[in-house]
Amino acid sequence: MFCKKCGSEMEDNAEVCASCGAPVTAAKKGFSVDMLKFEQGRSSIIALISGVVMFIMIFLPYVTVQVFGMSESQSLINGGDGFFFILIAIAGIVTGLMGKEKPMIIVGSIACVLALYEMFSFSDAIKDIAAWGLEDMVKRGIGFYLMILSAIGLLAAPFVQKYLKK
């Protein structure tokens, strides 16, 4: 059984929810759409902002290559991984609106893992370019830094929200 008020799992014979104290009459078996309701005051502004920033950064220059005075920028939407960041950004916005800690932690963790993957991929590419002595031609763009910032924001949001509740 799941508590209708907070969404916590309860034993079938429980009289009240161990998490929030709601009576059994407020509990239903299975998943409830009420668990997804967006409660006023529960939303996490940090998760919302981080999700929006992540969505925007997908379209901004991630890397810029400059050769003989000409420069070319590449964004994540053109690089192939932008689709995954779009999904994470949407999930970050939705979980931020819901204000539920566990989903925000999951989304933030996935965002950080994906950002770390992108950072290591970028570092590997720079190492290959450095072998030719051309590493000064490749620069990180604003999208790279916003990716890191928004991933950290999504991961930190539930913890900040919990700290501010106290």
Side-chain angles (χ1 to χ4, degrees):
M1 242 183 342
F2 294 91
C3 177
K4 185 176 179 181
K5 185 176 178 185
C6 72
S8 297
E9 190 170 0
M10 301 177 4
E11 292 186 28
D12 289 336
N13 57 356
E15 293 181 20
V16 294
C17 175
S19 295
C20 70
V24 169
T25 56
K28 286 185 175 180
K29 286 190 173 190
F31 180 78
S32 171
V33 175
D34 290 338
M35 290 182 216
L36 294 177
K37 65 182 171 187
F38 304 128
E39 297 179 20
Q40 185 177 11
R42 283 201 67 178
S43 63
S44 171
I45 192 73
I46 295 172
L48 290 169
I49 291 170
S50 297
V52 169
V53 168
M54 183 170 280
F55 188 81
I56 292 169
M57 76 85 191
I58 297 164
F59 302 98
L60 296 175
Y62 180 78
V63 63
T64 302
V65 178
Q66 191 168 19
V67 181
F68 304 120
M70 297 173 30
S71 68
E72 180 71 29
S73 295
Q74 182 76 23
S75 66
L76 283 175
I77 197 69
N78 296 335
D81 291 336
F83 176 74
F84 297 113
F85 281 103
I86 288 173
L87 293 177
I88 295 296
I90 292 170
I93 293 168
V94 170
T95 57
L97 287 170
M98 288 172 31
K100 306 253 183 200
E101 286 179 26
K102 289 178 185 175
M104 278 195 283
I105 292 171
I106 292 168
V107 170
S109 299
I110 293 170
C112 284
V113 167
L114 189 56
L116 282 171
Y117 170 77
E118 287 295 329
M119 288 169 47
F120 286 126
S121 295
F122 188 87
S123 295
D124 286 344
I126 293 295
K127 286 178 189 174
D128 292 341
I129 294 169
W132 293 86
L134 305 173
E135 66 271 8
D136 293 337
M137 296 169 45
V138 180
K139 304 288 183 206
R140 293 173 179 94
I142 187 72
F144 179 87
Y145 298 107
L146 288 177
M147 172 192 68
I148 296 168
L149 183 67
S150 60
I152 292 171
L154 284 173
L155 185 60
F159 302 106
V160 171
Q161 178 179 345
K162 189 172 189 174
Y163 176 76
L164 292 176
K165 281 184 184 178
K166 291 184 179 183

